[in-house]
């Protein structure tokens, strides 16, 4: 069933479980994620970045694609289609108008005041359309050619003000993770996660969930994270699978076989992550 993320995340927070947000890039990824989460009987958030939306053809294409898959594959588990890192109020409105169940507005690089103003605009529009809203506060570290640059972790008082003023349903807090594949030692502030989770009524979202081994993901869950976003780990698993297949099958030209050759690795990665709830 298609739902917004509010109830699924509130229930997960209450039961100290994690809901995974897996990013999609195309039809095959959306199909694989839906099939696997339905098989495992777990709710799932399909995250789509603005870049992926542009790649796939637009907001309406993505919404029609995902909703049709849920219907034609007879997916029984709860599914939420979510805009990941919406960069403007307009982008969130476009997603909501296309039927997305949830949006993230990311004004984390702006001042707290501006972040609050823009986020409130999105919340007002979203609430009228039964759409849930996630927003970010603090700044995550970044991976670039020079390695890892630390961000500024979220501060509790600012976070309390932000959540209260905006009325958001989930908050993405900077706690030391970065986006992208990072195999080095991260500096995750578990104490901060605990403090935020204890003091906030809304669920806490961990961005940059890739490159963290299962034990670290479990520690994040135990400290109070409710939603974990995974993108790069799926990309890595899928591309390793495809490269291996192409090396072993140099004559294959059927795109279904080429693209499909990475799908089992993608599904295995999903299984591994979801297992932290057991
Ligand atoms: P990763 O690519 O590090 O998994 O981050 C995904 C993410 O946070 C999407 O919002």
């Amino acid at each position: 069933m298609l739902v917004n993320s509010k109830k699924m995340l509130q229930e997960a927070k209450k039961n100290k479980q994690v809901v995974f947000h897996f990013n999609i890039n195309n039809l095959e990824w959306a199909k694989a994620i839906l099939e696997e989460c339905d098989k495992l009987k777990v709710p799932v958030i399909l995250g789509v970045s603005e870049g992926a939306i542009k790649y796939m053809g637009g907001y309406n294409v993505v919404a029609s694609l995902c909703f049709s898959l849920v219907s034609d594959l007879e997916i029984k588990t709860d599914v939420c289609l979510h805009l990941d890192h919406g960069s403007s109020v307009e982008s969130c409105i476009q997603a909501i108008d296309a039927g997305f169940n949830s949006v993230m507005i990311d004004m984390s690089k702006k001042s707290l005041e501006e972040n609050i103003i823009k986020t409130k605009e999105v919340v007002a529009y979203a609430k009228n359309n039964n759409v849930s809203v996630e927003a970010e506060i603090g700044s995550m570290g970044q991976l670039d050619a020079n390695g890892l640059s630390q961000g500024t972790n979220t501060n509790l008082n600012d976070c309390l003000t932000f959540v209260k003023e905006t009325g958001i349903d989930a908050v993405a807090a900077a706690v030391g993770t970065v986006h992208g594949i990072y195999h080095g030692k991260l500096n995750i502030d578990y104490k901060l996660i605990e403090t935020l989770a204890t003091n906030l009524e809304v669920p806490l979202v961990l961005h940059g969930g890739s490159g963290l081994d299962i034990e670290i993901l479990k520690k994040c869950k135990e400290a109070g994270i409710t939603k974990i976003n995974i993108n790069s780990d799926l990309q890595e698993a899928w591309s390793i699978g495809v490269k291996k297949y192409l090396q072993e099958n140099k004559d294959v030209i059927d795109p279904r076989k080429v693209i499909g050759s990475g799908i089992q690795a993608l599904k295995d990665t999903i299984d591994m992550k979801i297992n932290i709830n057991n």
Side-chain angles (χ1 to χ4, degrees):
M1 195 170 65
L2 285 153
V3 292
N4 70 35
S5 66
K6 190 171 174 173
K7 192 157 154 248
M8 72 163 80
L9 291 179
Q10 283 291 356
E11 263 171 27
K13 181 173 165 72
K14 200 174 76 201
N15 299 325
K16 297 196 171 1
Q17 295 277 291
V18 161
V19 174
F20 280 91
H21 150 142
F22 295 114
N23 281 79
I24 62 168
N25 291 285
N26 57 21
L27 161 75
E28 288 82 357
W29 285 50
K31 182 166 172 273
I33 294 166
L34 288 172
E35 284 173 343
E36 205 54 18
C37 292
D38 199 49
K39 190 181 96 187
L40 297 171
K41 297 190 167 45
V42 291
V44 66
I45 297 173
L46 297 178
V48 209
S49 67
E50 289 172 351
I53 289 169
K54 196 166 166 210
Y55 169 79
M56 285 190 263
Y59 293 83
N60 292 311
V61 176
V62 174
S64 311
L65 172 80
C66 293
F67 299 161
S68 301
L69 283 171
V70 168
S71 165
D72 286 359
L73 297 174
E74 298 181 16
I75 299 295
K76 303 279 183 302
T77 198
D78 282 348
V79 177
C80 170
L81 178 62
H82 172 78
L83 173 68
D84 193 19
H85 292 283
S87 63
S88 64
V89 176
E90 293 70 29
S91 158
C92 292
I93 289 176
Q94 259 185 293
I96 294 167
D97 287 349
F100 280 51
N101 312 106
S102 178
V103 293
M104 174 193 186
I105 173 78
D106 181 359
M107 289 286 148
S108 58
K109 294 206 168 52
K110 307 281 185 201
S111 67
L112 179 62
E113 291 68 30
E114 201 175 338
N115 194 350
I116 290 174
I117 291 169
K118 295 289 179 195
T119 302
K120 272 173 87 166
E121 277 183 51
V122 173
V123 170
Y125 196 81
K127 294 278 134 107
N128 280 335
N129 289 277
N130 193 28
V131 166
S132 48
V133 180
E134 172 185 326
E136 180 160 331
I137 177 165
S139 72
M140 288 179 67
Q142 284 199 334
L143 274 177
D144 54 32
N146 304 317
L148 172 69
S149 60
Q150 286 294 335
T152 312
N153 282 356
T154 302
N155 145 310
L156 173 65
N157 284 338
D158 285 355
C159 199
L160 285 169
T161 308
F162 185 58
V163 171
K164 185 163 172 272
E165 292 283 319
T166 56
I168 52 174
D169 302 297
V171 65
V175 293
T177 54
V178 287
H179 286 114
I181 296 286
Y182 186 72
H183 294 292
K185 195 171 176 299
L186 277 174
N187 194 12
I188 297 177
D189 191 340
Y190 298 103
K191 196 90 214 108
L192 174 62
I193 297 177
E194 262 177 47
T195 308
L196 293 171
T198 315
N199 285 282
L200 293 165
E201 277 177 24
V202 296
L204 261 186
V205 181
L206 185 80
H207 279 252
S210 293
L212 308 182
D213 66 33
I214 294 303
E215 288 315 310
I216 295 184
L217 290 180
K218 275 191 187 158
K219 272 177 81 173
C220 291
K221 178 184 97 161
E222 277 149 25
I225 291 289
T226 299
K227 173 177 179 262
I228 298 182
N229 291 11
I230 307 277
N231 184 21
S232 308
D233 274 350
L234 296 188
Q235 296 188 346
E236 190 180 45
W238 176 82
S239 61
I240 290 172
V242 173
K243 282 174 200 159
K244 182 168 179 288
Y245 177 80
L246 286 175
Q247 264 167 8
E248 291 166 0
N249 299 275
K250 293 205 164 54
D251 296 334
V252 173
I253 59 164
D254 183 340
R256 290 169 298 185
K257 290 189 177 153
V258 176
I259 297 171
S261 65
I263 293 298
Q264 192 52 50
L266 192 149
K267 287 186 170 179
D268 292 345
T269 307
I270 291 173
D271 279 18
M272 220 160 56
K273 307 285 180 195
I274 284 176
N275 212 17
I276 70 160
N277 279 323
N278 296 330

